[in-house]
Amino acid sequence: MKKVLLFLLLACCMIACQESLEKRAAREASEYTRKNCPSAIRDNVRTDSLAFDEATRTIIYYHSLFNTLDDSAFIANHKEEMISRLNNALKRDISLKSYKEAGFNIRYEYHSSTSPKLILLEKTFTPEDYSN
């Protein structure tokens, strides 16, 4: 029995070790969404899902904005500040370290909670943005 368990453990390790970073990103995005989304509304923001676009090597965070943030005029007036804060947070985010080191893009989309098809803010950060 011990030999069977050891074999299974080694087989799983070999499969995991052979998983490409792109496949890992897709798997982790799917698992995160399944386990954590939609998140609780915090500071008028809810995380709706996480996705990975393999063609562009982009990790995409989808959010909804609520209450005072669900206002296109407010977002337009604070867009540059919000993008700067997102980039600073991204630079400090150690959970994305392997993806950033591999040069993945990180995209944030913020939708209106009252009109979900309306994108209030969107920004894709490239390695040039978050590496400085």
Side-chain angles (χ1 to χ4, degrees):
M1 185 66 166
K2 287 183 180 180
K3 287 183 180 182
V4 172
L5 290 174
L6 181 59
F7 173 77
L8 290 173
L9 180 61
L10 288 173
C12 288
C13 180
M14 288 176 67
I15 291 169
C17 293
Q18 294 175 357
E19 181 180 43
S20 71
L21 194 55
E22 290 79 8
K23 296 294 183 204
R24 178 178 143 201
R27 178 180 51 77
E28 287 182 350
S30 177
E31 288 174 1
Y32 181 89
T33 298
R34 185 174 35 82
K35 292 177 183 177
N36 301 299
C37 296
S39 68
I41 298 169
R42 184 171 161 236
D43 298 327
N44 296 318
V45 179
R46 178 184 70 203
T47 303
D48 296 318
S49 65
L50 181 60
F52 178 66
D53 180 351
E54 191 168 352
T56 61
R57 297 181 78 212
T58 304
I59 296 171
I60 309 164
Y61 289 89
Y62 294 99
H63 299 279
S64 290
L65 299 177
F66 291 83
N67 305 317
T68 56
L69 291 181
D70 189 1
D71 178 343
S72 56
F74 177 86
I75 297 299
N77 288 333
H78 295 88
K79 182 178 180 178
E80 294 307 315
E81 176 188 352
M82 294 173 79
I83 289 173
S84 177
R85 287 183 181 201
L86 280 172
N87 194 24
N88 288 333
L90 178 58
K91 288 177 181 181
R92 293 188 310 269
D93 189 344
I94 60 170
S95 70
L96 295 171
K97 183 178 186 229
S98 60
Y99 300 118
K100 292 188 295 186
E101 287 175 347
F104 282 32
N105 299 310
I106 312 295
R107 179 177 178 80
Y108 297 93
E109 277 192 24
Y110 291 87
H111 293 254
S112 166
S113 61
T114 55
S115 301
K117 291 185 179 183
L118 175 63
I119 299 173
L120 296 170
L121 178 69
E122 60 185 326
K123 175 64 180 169
T124 301
F125 293 100
T126 65
E128 292 79 27
D129 297 317
Y130 60 73
S131 295
N132 299 334

